[in-house]
Amino acid sequence: MAYEVEAPKYVRLAQTIQSRIEDGTYAPGTRVPSENQLVQAFGMSRPTVVRALELLKRDGWLESRQGYGTIVRGRPAVVEQKDRRGSEALARDESQAPGRLVEVGHVPVPARVASVLGLPKRAKVLMRRFLVEEDGEPVELVSSYFPAGLIEGTELESSAPLGGSIRAHLEARKKVRFDHVTERVSARLPERSEAELLDLPDGVPVLSVLVVAYDASGQALEVSDVLLPADRQELEDTYRLN
């Protein structure tokens, strides 16, 4: 039986607005359509529109200016910086990378990973978790999730570090072809196990880069959650003052 689990409406609306910012429909420095206009354009309720706009403000795509409305900031610098991390996660050779493989096993699928892979909430997926270290300090935690249909005939369940990238491993053994990725940056508090691995004090947030790798048909092959300690990241953003 196939399951389709869609992201919440406000998340899908935020993704649509984000796409329009990236393709230039909503240019940096301009006002986004009003809440009323968005309600009418997308046929969604006002609370849904408000939540979508708040999500985009939180992630740095939009900002509110008193007396002027909601302004497009453009693609946040944090996204540009963290995109590189997401791409590196797909190309990483576990056997050569500085760090260690800390966990391999079948786990309940996290909610936002389930929505991407089209799985029910209580489904199990394979997780490979790799801790990247620099000079003995943990700097990045990568949790990669794989649907059951992609595991058979591979070495993904092995507790030993894989030689070569996971992408190359899957393309060689499953005859799949990675075509494109999407990456979404957000901030959240880490789970206890994540905080312990990253050596984070209580209350310190992490930056999460959710990397989704697709084939040419749009089927998600792998989802990686790349966590970076927010207190060790230097971020910079530039935008115009009107």
Side-chain angles (χ1 to χ4, degrees):
M1 179 182 294
Y3 295 88
E4 289 294 334
V5 181
E6 287 190 313
K9 287 184 179 180
Y10 78 94
V11 173
R12 285 183 276 138
L13 177 57
Q15 291 170 338
T16 298
I17 295 173
Q18 178 181 315
S19 296
R20 294 190 179 189
I21 293 172
E22 294 201 87
D23 68 18
T25 302
Y26 301 150
T30 63
R31 284 187 291 184
V32 295
S34 68
E35 291 177 10
N36 284 337
Q37 290 172 323
L38 291 171
V39 166
Q40 294 175 3
F42 293 99
M44 294 186 178
S45 68
R46 183 179 297 276
T48 296
V49 169
V50 170
R51 289 190 71 184
L53 294 176
E54 288 301 319
L55 180 61
L56 290 165
K57 291 174 188 175
R58 187 198 70 185
D59 288 354
W61 295 88
L62 304 174
E63 67 171 329
S64 293
R65 294 187 192 171
Q66 189 171 4
Y68 197 71
T70 302
I71 307 302
V72 177
R73 294 185 67 182
R75 185 174 174 83
V78 62
V79 175
E80 300 289 355
Q81 294 171 15
K82 303 311 166 207
D83 275 0
R84 176 176 59 83
R85 299 279 191 162
S87 299
E88 287 176 355
L90 291 176
R92 179 172 290 116
D93 183 335
E94 293 176 348
S95 66
Q96 300 296 322
R100 54 195 173 91
L101 188 65
V102 295
E103 185 178 354
V104 179
H106 294 269
V107 300
V109 60
R112 63 179 182 162
V113 174
S115 66
V116 173
L117 294 177
L119 297 173
K121 292 181 180 178
R122 290 183 290 275
K124 291 288 189 76
V125 290
L126 178 71
M127 180 184 73
R128 294 185 68 86
R129 177 167 282 177
F130 192 88
L131 183 67
V132 181
E133 299 173 319
E134 291 181 2
D135 299 323
E137 179 184 28
V139 295
E140 181 178 328
L141 182 63
V142 183
S143 301
S144 298
Y145 301 92
F146 307 89
L150 209 61
I151 298 170
E152 186 177 354
T154 74
E155 297 174 21
L156 292 178
E157 294 177 286
S158 170
S159 58
L162 289 179
S165 70
I166 289 177
R167 172 184 175 177
H169 187 84
L170 286 172
E171 288 186 337
R173 289 160 178 77
K174 299 298 290 185
K175 307 306 179 184
V176 296
R177 182 65 57 186
F178 285 70
D179 182 76
H180 62 282
V181 299
T182 62
E183 298 176 344
R184 179 172 181 80
V185 180
S186 59
R188 64 174 173 86
L189 289 175
E191 298 176 2
R192 181 178 296 276
S193 62
E194 295 169 340
E196 290 175 352
L197 286 167
L198 289 168
D199 196 21
L200 292 177
D202 290 343
V204 174
V206 290
L207 293 174
S208 167
V209 186
L210 192 70
V211 185
V212 186
Y214 298 90
D215 64 16
S217 72
Q219 175 66 44
L221 300 174
E222 173 189 350
V223 180
S224 292
D225 192 8
V226 182
L227 297 186
L228 304 129
D231 63 342
R232 300 170 202 164
Q233 306 302 314
E234 184 174 337
L235 308 179
E236 180 179 347
D237 201 359
T238 303
Y239 56 92
R240 293 183 179 278
L241 296 173
N242 291 328

